[in-house]
Amino acid sequence: SSDELLRSNVKYDVCLVDIVLRETTGDKVIVELKRKHPESVVIAISGIDNVKTVSRVLTTGADDFLTKPFNHLLFLARIKTNVRSYLLLQNLAKMAVTDALTGLFNRRHISERLSVEAEKATRYGSQFSLLMFDIDYFKRINDTYGHQFGDDVLRSVSDSIRSSIRAVDIAGRYGGEEFMVILPEIGLEGAALVAERIRCAVESAPTGKDGLSVTISCG
């Protein structure tokens, strides 16, 4: 039912909402769905086909409007079109906060997340730790093996970071060969363990160059 849908914390990528409902109106459901999950695709369905109704429903936030009864091929085509748009927007949103080379968060986003964590710690008396580290002698690596290999090293270090932290931790490329990791709800002792885990993962990762071991310095 619409009540169960609105009470649920599950985020649906695509929702089909009939305008005529027993418990409430489709308009209200659409407004609430868009309030909770503004990025979700909401498609309104109705047997009422007039300009005023369509305009009203689209104004409430619906992404598309389908009139009943509808041809199933047209229905699937409209669904696919909306899903393509949804995936495109999701990809653009991800690109806006992601470092293109490493796949970690970019400097702007991780700086924003740091501000959020600092505010939470101040407001609720919670704790978090911040790791900052860079790759040792990275300029020498670039000069000796070339920038393409340097990029491979940056990607390898990023992979080592991802494999060494929790899903709730926040990792980003701060700039050049510098990285930042935010550890919510972790104090100094726990942060030191995570830092050592990352350091070991980076040092043990294969580089493809005999005798070359990449290391990091962290604080």
Side-chain angles (χ1 to χ4, degrees):
S1 69
S2 59
D3 287 341
E4 291 173 337
L5 174 63
L6 295 179
R7 284 197 303 267
S8 172
N9 291 321
V10 177
K11 175 187 173 295
Y12 295 97
D13 296 329
V14 180
C15 299
L16 305 178
V17 180
D18 201 313
I19 297 303
V20 180
L21 298 171
R22 182 176 303 173
E23 311 91 351
T24 182
T25 66
D27 301 47
K28 292 180 179 179
V29 174
I30 292 170
V31 169
E32 183 62 16
L33 284 173
K34 280 296 187 178
R35 185 191 66 80
K36 292 176 64 177
H37 307 296
E39 68 278 10
S40 296
V41 175
V42 177
I43 301 175
I45 302 173
S46 178
I48 305 172
D49 184 16
N50 60 63
V51 174
K52 186 176 180 180
T53 300
V54 175
S55 176
R56 186 189 77 248
V57 171
L58 294 178
T59 301
T60 63
D63 297 281
D64 204 349
F65 186 97
L66 290 173
T67 304
K68 298 187 296 184
F70 40 73
N71 178 278
H72 76 281
L73 292 177
L74 175 62
F75 172 74
L76 291 176
R78 297 281 281 275
I79 293 290
K80 289 178 181 178
T81 298
N82 280 281
V83 168
R84 277 197 297 268
S85 297
Y86 169 80
L87 293 175
L88 176 61
L89 290 174
Q90 292 290 99
N91 189 47
L92 290 174
K94 182 179 180 181
M95 290 172 60
V97 301
T98 303
D99 175 66
L101 177 64
T102 64
L104 299 178
F105 289 125
N106 58 30
R107 177 171 180 163
R108 180 179 63 83
H109 182 72
I110 198 169
S111 296
E112 291 174 354
R113 297 290 293 273
L114 175 58
S115 296
V116 171
E117 290 302 320
E119 182 180 349
K120 283 167 54 179
T122 301
R123 179 177 300 178
Y124 303 113
S126 59
Q127 61 180 351
F128 75 96
S129 294
L130 174 67
L131 307 179
M132 292 200 69
F133 56 88
D134 59 13
I135 301 173
D136 298 327
Y137 309 111
F138 186 68
K139 183 178 184 304
R140 184 186 302 174
I141 293 174
N142 269 335
D143 292 344
T144 303
Y145 300 104
H147 289 278
Q148 181 61 57
F149 180 75
D151 287 349
D152 292 340
V153 168
L154 289 169
R155 281 188 284 262
S156 175
V157 169
S158 301
D159 291 341
S160 295
I161 294 171
R162 272 188 288 263
S163 67
S164 304
I165 61 177
R166 306 168 301 171
V168 297
D169 297 328
I170 307 155
R173 183 183 178 196
Y174 195 70
E177 74 276 21
E178 300 173 319
F179 297 85
M180 177 187 288
V181 179
I182 302 169
L183 307 171
E185 303 297 335
I186 286 186
L188 182 60
E189 184 177 347
L193 293 175
V194 176
E196 178 64 10
R197 187 160 63 240
I198 295 174
R199 188 195 67 77
C200 291
V202 170
E203 189 173 21
S204 61
T207 64
K209 302 291 183 183
D210 291 339
L212 175 65
S213 176
V214 175
T215 59
I216 60 173
S217 296
C218 180

